[in-house]
Amino acid sequence: MTHHTVGTTVRVLGAGLRALLVLTLVCGLLYPLAVTGVAQALFPGKADGSEIRDASGQVVGSSLIGQRYDLPPEQGGGAPAPDLRWFQPRPSNGLGTNSVNTRYALLLSGATNRSGDNEELIRWVRDARAAVVRDNSTASYRVDPGDIPADAVTSSGSGLDPHISPAYAKLQIHRVAERNALGVAEVERLVADHTAGRVLGFLGEPRVNVLELNTALRDLTRNG
């Protein structure tokens, strides 16, 4: 009986070990290699993280993750001011700062978790609305508060949305043109070239990827 029990135990352990080795080989090596190979063959850009490169070929970020464009923080702390040479993303505490469009550091991701009637949220929206009017009005262009879209004063659910609406991009055109000594029509063409339509013509909303737009803007100012 003892020999029978030992023999059975050895067979069970042997079968379990063989199953472990086979599953490790299939699931831990062959399957990941197959999926990686298919992804690299069919979707190389997406498989590598949807990287965005500038005209020199340098990776400046991912098209899937938003970035901020702020001035260096002043001594003594405080929130950095936006660098108004660039198109600005949606307001969000989840975005890392990026003043030179070559690197970024993520801080956190998440929504505000505040209700629509929360006093602090209402104050944030009012402050953001006033800042949009102040920052984007120029000597020849005055922002109408009624034209400010919702994405200009509210963050996304993740806080990392890389896109803004065409309306918010259009609202920033005069300021960006003035700060970079470019013609308004030239910047309008740049925005139009980087405006993506609805997926399949009916899914989602038209959108502008801020990183792609600012990368093109920087290349334009360098060549200009």
Side-chain angles (χ1 to χ4, degrees):
M1 176 67 77
T2 302
H3 292 294
H4 177 72
T5 303
V6 172
T8 301
T9 301
V10 170
R11 287 195 299 274
V12 171
L13 290 176
L17 181 60
R18 289 193 297 272
L20 174 63
L21 294 175
V22 170
L23 290 174
T24 299
L25 178 64
V26 173
C27 299
L29 183 62
L30 297 180
Y31 177 73
L33 287 177
V35 171
T36 300
V38 170
Q40 288 290 344
L42 299 180
F43 315 103
K46 294 181 179 180
D48 290 335
S50 300
E51 296 175 338
I52 296 178
R53 299 177 182 270
D54 60 16
S56 66
Q58 181 179 8
V59 176
V60 295
S62 169
S63 64
L64 304 177
I65 300 176
Q67 300 185 21
R68 290 195 56 81
Y69 296 83
D70 293 330
L71 295 170
E74 298 181 357
Q75 292 184 349
D83 189 341
L84 298 180
R85 295 175 301 166
W86 309 104
F87 286 92
Q88 294 295 313
R90 298 182 67 164
S92 174
N93 293 328
L95 299 182
T97 59
N98 179 345
S99 60
V100 294
N101 197 23
T102 58
R103 62 183 178 83
Y104 61 95
L106 298 182
L107 302 178
L108 54 90
S109 173
T112 62
N113 291 327
R114 287 168 173 78
S115 63
D117 59 354
N118 180 272
E119 292 184 1
E120 187 176 27
L121 178 60
I122 293 173
R123 177 173 56 81
W124 286 352
V125 170
R126 287 175 176 169
D127 291 346
R129 187 166 176 260
V132 169
V133 173
R134 180 185 66 248
D135 292 343
N136 292 284
S137 294
T138 67
S140 59
Y141 176 77
R142 175 70 181 176
V143 174
D144 184 347
D147 293 336
I148 299 176
D151 62 301
V153 297
T154 58
S155 63
S156 65
S158 67
L160 302 175
D161 191 349
H163 300 101
I164 58 176
S165 66
Y168 188 26
K170 180 180 178 181
L171 186 146
Q172 301 182 62
I173 286 175
H174 287 78
R175 183 254 300 162
V176 170
E178 181 182 87
R179 297 277 177 155
N180 290 281
L182 297 171
V184 171
E186 194 172 15
V187 180
E188 286 178 338
R189 287 194 297 271
L190 197 66
V191 171
D193 291 341
H194 290 83
T195 299
R198 292 179 172 86
V199 178
L200 300 178
F202 66 94
L203 295 176
E205 295 292 334
R207 62 204 179 279
V208 179
N209 188 289
V210 179
L211 176 57
E212 292 179 354
L213 179 59
N214 279 334
T215 301
L217 173 63
R218 188 179 69 168
D219 292 338
L220 178 63
T221 55
R222 283 180 172 178
N223 297 331

